[in-house]
Amino acid sequence: MFSLGSWLPALPGLAWGWALLDALLQGLVGACAVSVLCSLLKVYLYIQCVNNPERQAEKEAIAAQRPLLEPLHVLVLTGVLALVGSRVAALVVLEFSLRAVSSVLSLGKGAHSSQLYLLCQYSLGCGVSCGLSFLLEGAPQRSWNLALAAGLAGLLALHARRLARHVCALYELHSRARYCGVCILLLAAGHGIPRLLRNALALTFAVADLAAVELINRDFLSTGEAVRFWTPLTICYTLLVIYMQEESRQSTGRGPVFRTVVVRMGGLFILLLTVGRWTDILHVFMSFFGELWCLLCSGVLLEAGRGQGRGQGH
């Protein structure tokens, strides 16, 4: 049983190079997962806009998204996820999981959740990265496994992107003429995309949460150290969730979305100033950039999801 780097002689810095390669592959898998999520949401929201004559402007905005933005989104997100340490990534995953549970319970079972799916992009990337880091830790063929996972994730993301392009270009024509099997399937079962995403995300974050807790706890030498870390973390996250729930009820528009990112990352920054390491502080700034990047790239979809929520409210 040999790993990818075991064929080469033990040279100074070689282990660091393979560790960087593994981090990049891990980040690529996470970025591809985010790409699949965005592509499927794009398909779903476009179909909803087609079926609503009052949302033609939103439909045109979704179809007019620049095709080069998606590969750039994956590239930048891969770099960010590769550089962010597992400790901060684990904290991001736990914070979003708590926020998601709170949102689902407060909004109700039938509430529309397209916006929640879009807001979880960076957290999903961190969750996939944490899960892979934990599941493959100490594996003798870690690099080969990550390369295989990255290849499969890349193929899945590519096909999801092609599906989104096909729907935006031809869905209206094909659904009326009953010409294309894919469009006919989406016409009949496209409303089930949110349920598919909900189940997939629930499974992903369940694994990611377990991995996140284990990745954080392995740094503690005693129970006392763990308590000194988890106690302020729990208080901080609880206050953040309460604040964001109130903010979402009282405010509308895109401003509150970006404001909550600043509040969340600011709270995490202050927390890690007291119980973290200096590298954690750097990783928080990277995470802040990653969150903003994901929201900026999906601005059109956020507006479409907000429009759908208003429509359902009426």
Side-chain angles (χ1 to χ4, degrees):
M1 303 290 286
F2 297 97
S3 63
L4 193 62
S6 63
W7 296 352
L8 299 176
L11 298 176
L14 192 59
W16 181 87
W18 287 116
L20 178 60
L21 176 61
D22 288 351
L24 287 172
L25 291 173
Q26 223 167 256
L28 179 59
V29 176
C32 287
V34 174
S35 178
V36 172
L37 172 68
C38 291
S39 295
L40 292 180
L41 281 174
K42 185 176 183 179
V43 169
Y44 172 72
L45 291 173
Y46 185 85
I47 293 174
Q48 297 302 307
C49 291
V50 168
N51 296 332
N52 188 345
E54 298 179 357
R55 303 181 63 192
Q56 296 307 299
E58 294 174 5
K59 180 198 73 175
E60 294 173 0
I62 293 174
Q65 283 189 289
R66 299 175 182 177
L68 292 179
L69 181 61
E70 294 171 355
L72 180 62
H73 183 29
V74 172
L75 182 63
V76 172
L77 197 53
T78 297
V80 173
L81 292 173
L83 293 175
V84 170
S86 59
R87 185 182 175 96
V88 171
L91 293 174
V92 170
V93 170
L94 293 175
E95 184 273 331
F96 176 79
S97 298
L98 180 62
R99 184 158 43 104
V101 171
S102 175
S103 298
V104 170
L105 293 177
S106 62
L107 293 175
K109 184 178 178 181
H112 183 68
S113 52
S114 292
Q115 269 197 294
L116 184 61
Y117 296 150
L118 289 168
L119 294 177
C120 85
Q121 290 179 70
Y122 181 72
S123 301
L124 173 62
C126 289
V128 172
S129 181
C130 282
L132 288 173
S133 179
F134 174 69
L135 294 173
L136 297 177
E137 188 174 17
Q141 296 185 349
R142 175 185 173 90
S143 300
W144 285 113
N145 291 331
L146 285 173
L148 178 61
L152 294 175
L155 285 175
L156 189 59
L158 180 62
H159 284 294
R161 193 182 308 157
R162 287 177 177 174
L163 173 64
R165 285 202 299 264
H166 175 84
V167 168
C168 290
L170 299 171
Y171 175 78
E172 288 186 89
L173 174 64
H174 287 174
S175 59
R176 286 196 302 264
R178 300 296 194 273
Y179 174 74
C180 170
V182 172
C183 293
I184 293 174
L185 177 63
L186 289 172
L187 181 64
H191 61 276
I193 292 178
R195 183 172 62 252
L196 171 67
L197 291 177
R198 182 176 66 247
N199 294 336
L201 289 173
L203 178 61
T204 301
F205 277 101
V207 175
D209 288 337
L210 294 174
V213 172
E214 179 61 29
L215 288 173
I216 293 174
N217 281 337
R218 71 181 181 183
D219 293 332
F220 302 129
L221 299 177
S222 65
T223 304
E225 289 185 10
V227 170
R228 283 194 296 272
F229 180 85
W230 284 108
T231 300
L233 176 68
T234 303
I235 296 173
C236 178
Y237 278 2
T238 302
L239 293 176
L240 282 175
V241 168
I242 294 173
Y243 167 80
M244 285 182 285
Q245 289 298 329
E246 291 298 324
E247 184 78 10
S248 63
R249 292 192 191 100
Q250 297 175 5
S251 305
T252 58
R254 195 186 298 184
V257 174
F258 292 97
R259 198 154 54 241
T260 55
V261 173
V262 176
V263 173
R264 286 165 45 220
M265 291 300 163
L268 188 58
F269 174 79
I270 295 173
L271 175 68
L272 292 176
L273 276 178
T274 58
V275 296
R277 310 186 186 101
W278 71 267
T279 52
D280 293 334
I281 306 302
L282 178 61
H283 294 158
V284 168
F285 284 111
M286 293 179 183
S287 294
F288 178 68
F289 172 76
E291 287 271 14
L292 288 182
W293 174 257
C294 289
L295 292 177
L296 289 172
C297 290
S298 58
V300 173
L301 297 181
L302 279 170
E303 290 296 331
R306 188 176 296 112
Q308 185 178 5
R310 288 194 297 266
Q312 289 182 348
H314 297 313

